[in-house]
Amino acid sequence: MAASVVRKQLITTPAVSVREQLKLADDSGVVTAFLGGEERAFEELVVRYQTRLLNFIYRTVGDRERAEDLVQEVFIRVYRHLHRFDRSKKFSTWVYTIASNLAKNELRNRSRNPLVLFQTVKKNWQDEDRPLEFEDSSTRPDDMYRKRHLRQVVEESVAKLPEHHRDVFVLRELEGKSYEEIAEITGCNLGTVKSRLNRARNSFAEIVAPELE
C-alpha cells in the first residue's frame, strides 16, 4: 500500500481506530504510516522496541541509567533518519544496529568493563536452544542468596570477554537474533560471527562452569 494511501486512511479515521490499526500492523506497515505523515506511528515503534532495546543496551554497558539515555538517543536517530531506512530490510535489524553502535561507543568512552547480567547459565548448550531462558526459582527458600551469588559470578565472568565476543554473545544468547541479523548488526560476515560466538561460548562456559556446579 502506497504511503499516500496509508496516510489518507489514517487521517480520516478516528484517533482510537488509528492506534488500533497501528498495533495490528507489522513493523513495515508502521514505518510506512510514519513516512506517510502519521506521527502516532512513531509512538508505536517506541512502544514495541523501547523495553527490548533497553534490556539489550543494559546487558552490554552494565549501567541502567546510561542505557536509558542511550535508548532515547536510538529513537532520536530513528526519528531523524527513518526516511533513509531501506524498507526491503527488517526494521528490527536496523534499530538494533543503531543500538549496538551506540553501546560500543559508550564502552570505548569509559574505562570500566561492562557487565552482562544473567540469572542462569547453561553448560554445553545446543545451538537450537536460543535464546537463553531464565530459570524461575522463586519458590526456593534460598532464592535470593542464589540469585545474588549467580549474578556476581556471571558479571565477573562476562566482563572478561572481549567486546567483539560479548556483542555476538548477547545478541544470540539473550536477544535470540539469527546469524544473519547479527552479521548485519555488527558489520561482520557470517563466518566471523560464528567464529566469535563459538569462542565466546567456550570462554564463558569455561570461566563460569566451575562456579555453578
Side-chain angles (χ1 to χ4, degrees):
M1 183 178 291
S4 59
V5 176
V6 173
R7 182 182 182 186
K8 182 177 180 181
Q9 287 184 349
L10 294 176
I11 290 177
T12 57
T13 306
V16 175
S17 296
V18 170
R19 291 192 174 90
E20 290 302 321
Q21 290 179 46
L22 291 171
K23 288 180 181 179
L24 294 173
D26 58 15
D27 286 351
S28 178
V30 177
V31 169
T32 298
F34 175 72
L35 294 177
E38 178 49 66
E39 289 289 329
R40 282 165 290 191
F42 184 76
E43 297 176 8
E44 176 63 24
L45 292 175
V46 172
V47 169
R48 293 185 183 189
Y49 285 94
Q50 186 171 23
T51 300
R52 294 160 62 181
L53 293 177
L54 176 60
N55 290 335
F56 168 58
I57 295 177
Y58 175 45
R59 288 162 180 157
T60 303
V61 304
D63 183 327
R64 190 170 186 84
E65 289 187 4
R66 186 60 186 137
E68 291 173 350
D69 292 338
L70 291 176
V71 169
Q72 291 184 25
E73 179 62 27
V74 170
F75 285 113
I76 289 173
R77 297 193 180 194
V78 169
Y79 189 88
R80 290 176 177 172
H81 303 296
L82 193 56
H83 63 284
R84 300 179 183 176
F85 169 58
D86 181 356
R87 281 185 276 172
S88 67
K89 299 182 179 180
K90 295 178 64 175
F91 174 79
S92 61
T93 301
W94 184 64
V95 76
Y96 266 96
T97 301
I98 296 174
S100 177
N101 289 336
L102 287 174
K104 288 177 182 178
N105 290 337
E106 171 69 15
L107 296 180
R108 294 190 185 102
N109 291 334
R110 68 191 197 190
S111 58
R112 65 185 178 86
N113 288 328
L115 306 176
V116 182
L117 311 181
F118 301 100
Q119 294 179 355
T120 189
V121 179
K122 291 183 180 178
K123 183 181 178 181
N124 298 324
W125 53 77
Q126 298 299 313
D127 190 62
E128 61 270 16
D129 295 336
R130 303 275 85 70
L132 279 176
E133 296 180 356
F134 293 161
E135 179 182 1
D136 181 9
S137 56
S138 58
T139 59
R140 299 180 183 179
D142 62 346
D143 179 58
M144 293 302 295
Y145 170 79
R146 182 177 180 277
K147 285 184 177 180
R148 284 196 298 267
H149 173 69
L150 190 54
R151 172 172 174 159
Q152 180 181 353
V153 169
V154 173
E155 287 177 352
E156 294 173 352
S157 300
V158 177
K160 297 177 183 178
L161 293 176
E163 178 186 332
H164 53 286
H165 287 173
R166 184 169 55 250
D167 287 346
V168 296
F169 191 82
V170 172
L171 286 168
R172 182 64 174 170
E173 307 302 342
L174 291 180
E175 300 296 330
K177 298 297 182 184
S178 68
Y179 290 118
E180 291 75 13
E181 288 177 300
I182 297 173
E184 188 166 352
I185 290 170
T186 60
C188 300
N189 59 48
L190 285 176
T192 299
V193 167
K194 293 179 180 180
S195 176
R196 288 181 177 179
L197 182 59
N198 184 59
R199 291 176 183 175
R201 287 170 176 164
N202 291 337
S203 297
F204 186 74
E206 182 178 345
I207 295 169
V208 174
E211 301 292 338
L212 300 179
E213 294 179 346

